[in-house]
Amino acid sequence: YDAFISYRHVEPDQTIARKLFNLLEHYQTPKALSRKGVPSKLTRVFRDEEELPTSKNLSESIQYALEKSKYLIVLCSEETPKSKYVAQEIEIFKALGREDRILAVLIGEDATKCFPKELLGIKDLTILNKERENKLTVDIEPLAANIHDKTLRGMLKKLEDKEKLRLLAPMLGCSFDDLYGREVKRKSKRVLLSVASTVLTALLIFALLFLNHANQKRSAQANLLNEIDQNL
């Protein structure tokens, strides 16, 4: 799997997880980036409601899916820290040595109330200088996409419009700016094509109306001439 989506089975988390799953699996990389070697799309994303109905042993299936996943995406709402299953999934993924491949999607307003404590790990960072190595211990927070909004509709729109790209970029091996810039150009092109199509349709309708009016006028003139001939 390219990614494993971890979330608590409550709303709005479930709806957002379902939307995210579809966005990731159906995303097509802009052709300009594909020509540079960026994968054209993700291969497969794990979400338990999509994958587990055929499984007899859920715990083993979850463990297997985590082991086979390149990235872990955690949906973080105020309900997330209450889920022991999300906590276990994070711990398993960290134990696999992939702590640097955990991506968070912030749903709630306050990250301190939404991020499970398992996401806030301690790492040793080694900084090199000319004289010696300095080792620092710092708090690490996962890369986060922020879709918080007052309404579910607003959150889904943020996810679809821009924030999904923050998750796709590391998974595809490119920068967010690359994806966002191409996405803006792609949307602008769609808008221009839509406008051009609308203008052409309007011109066609106008032309048909004009021809119909001309035909009616010619028909009226012909009828008038026939009446004159008959009267003569």
Side-chain angles (χ1 to χ4, degrees), residues 149-162:
D149 194 85
K150 293 181 180 179
T151 66
L152 174 59
R153 183 177 180 180
M155 288 189 281
L156 295 177
K157 188 175 188 304
K158 285 184 178 180
L159 182 63
E160 183 170 7
D161 286 350
K162 185 176 180 180

Side-chain angles (χ1 to χ4, degrees), residues 3 7 13 17 22 24 33 46-47 53-55 70 85 103 119 124 138 141 148 151 178 189 191 193 209 221:
Y7 62 101
D13 306 42
N22 290 326
L24 295 181
L33 292 178
F46 181 94
R47 186 177 75 92
T54 59
S55 174
K70 297 176 183 177
Y85 298 108
L103 309 174
L119 279 183
D124 289 330
V138 296
E141 287 188 4
H148 171 68
T151 66
D178 282 339
K189 186 177 180 180
V191 170
L193 289 174
L209 290 173
Q221 289 174 343

Side-chain angles (χ1 to χ4, degrees), residues 127-223:
I127 301 175
L128 300 177
N129 58 33
K130 294 182 179 180
E131 298 177 357
R132 66 181 187 278
E133 292 185 358
N134 294 329
K135 183 168 285 190
L136 303 176
T137 301
V138 296
D139 289 326
I140 300 295
E141 287 188 4
L143 174 67
N146 189 343
I147 65 169
H148 171 68
D149 194 85
K150 293 181 180 179
T151 66
L152 174 59
R153 183 177 180 180
M155 288 189 281
L156 295 177
K157 188 175 188 304
K158 285 184 178 180
L159 182 63
E160 183 170 7
D161 286 350
K162 185 176 180 180
E163 294 304 300
K164 69 175 186 288
L165 302 178
R166 299 189 191 280
L167 304 171
L168 283 161
M171 290 189 282
L172 291 172
C174 60
S175 72
F176 167 78
D177 290 337
D178 282 339
L179 283 184
Y180 184 62
R182 298 292 178 181
E183 192 75 8
V184 169
K185 289 181 180 179
R186 187 156 62 179
K187 288 182 179 179
S188 298
K189 186 177 180 180
R190 289 198 196 106
V191 170
L192 288 174
L193 289 174
S194 177
V195 170
S197 177
T198 301
V199 171
L200 288 174
T201 300
L203 289 174
L204 179 60
I205 292 172
F206 177 79
L208 291 173
L209 290 173
F210 178 80
L211 289 173
N212 183 57
H213 177 72
N215 288 334
Q216 289 177 349
K217 188 175 181 180
R218 282 196 296 269
S219 178
Q221 289 174 343
N223 291 334

Side-chain angles (χ1 to χ4, degrees), residues 5-230:
I5 301 176
S6 179
Y7 62 101
R8 190 165 190 200
H9 289 216
V10 294
E11 292 296 351
D13 306 42
Q14 288 187 120
T15 298
I16 293 171
R18 193 177 302 114
K19 179 69 172 180
L20 177 60
F21 174 85
N22 290 326
L23 288 173
L24 295 181
E25 284 224 326
H26 294 97
Y27 182 80
Q28 294 289 330
T29 304
K31 291 181 180 178
L33 292 178
S34 294
R35 287 193 288 267
K36 294 181 181 181
V38 177
S40 60
K41 60 177 296 184
L42 300 181
T43 55
R44 197 176 178 188
V45 177
F46 181 94
R47 186 177 75 92
D48 54 7
E49 287 186 9
E50 300 290 337
E51 301 285 349
L52 292 182
T54 59
S55 174
K56 294 181 180 179
N57 191 323
L58 300 188
S59 60
E60 288 184 6
S61 296
I62 291 291
Q63 176 80 32
Y64 177 82
L66 286 166
E67 290 174 358
K68 296 298 180 181
S69 296
K70 297 176 183 177
Y71 282 86
L72 175 66
I73 300 174
V74 184
L75 303 189
C76 300
S77 69
E78 285 83 355
E79 297 297 318
T80 305
K82 303 173 186 177
S83 173
K84 65 178 182 180
Y85 298 108
V86 171
Q88 289 173 359
E89 288 163 2
I90 295 171
E91 290 290 8
I92 291 172
F93 204 76
K94 288 167 66 175
L96 293 169
R98 300 172 194 163
E99 190 171 357
D100 59 340
R101 293 190 175 190
I102 299 177
L103 309 174
V105 179
L106 183 60
I107 298 174
E109 184 175 7
D110 188 349
T112 60
K113 296 179 180 178
C114 299
F115 280 12
K117 68 180 189 308
E118 291 78 14
L119 279 183
L120 307 176
I122 301 297
K123 274 191 174 182
D124 289 330
L125 299 183
T126 300
I127 301 175
L128 300 177
N129 58 33
K130 294 182 179 180
E131 298 177 357
R132 66 181 187 278
E133 292 185 358
N134 294 329
K135 183 168 285 190
L136 303 176
T137 301
V138 296
D139 289 326
I140 300 295
E141 287 188 4
L143 174 67
N146 189 343
I147 65 169
H148 171 68
D149 194 85
K150 293 181 180 179
T151 66
L152 174 59
R153 183 177 180 180
M155 288 189 281
L156 295 177
K157 188 175 188 304
K158 285 184 178 180
L159 182 63
E160 183 170 7
D161 286 350
K162 185 176 180 180
E163 294 304 300
K164 69 175 186 288
L165 302 178
R166 299 189 191 280
L167 304 171
L168 283 161
M171 290 189 282
L172 291 172
C174 60
S175 72
F176 167 78
D177 290 337
D178 282 339
L179 283 184
Y180 184 62
R182 298 292 178 181
E183 192 75 8
V184 169
K185 289 181 180 179
R186 187 156 62 179
K187 288 182 179 179
S188 298
K189 186 177 180 180
R190 289 198 196 106
V191 170
L192 288 174
L193 289 174
S194 177
V195 170
S197 177
T198 301
V199 171
L200 288 174
T201 300
L203 289 174
L204 179 60
I205 292 172
F206 177 79
L208 291 173
L209 290 173
F210 178 80
L211 289 173
N212 183 57
H213 177 72
N215 288 334
Q216 289 177 349
K217 188 175 181 180
R218 282 196 296 269
S219 178
Q221 289 174 343
N223 291 334
L224 180 61
L225 289 173
N226 287 333
E227 288 179 7
I228 293 173
D229 288 342
Q230 289 174 1

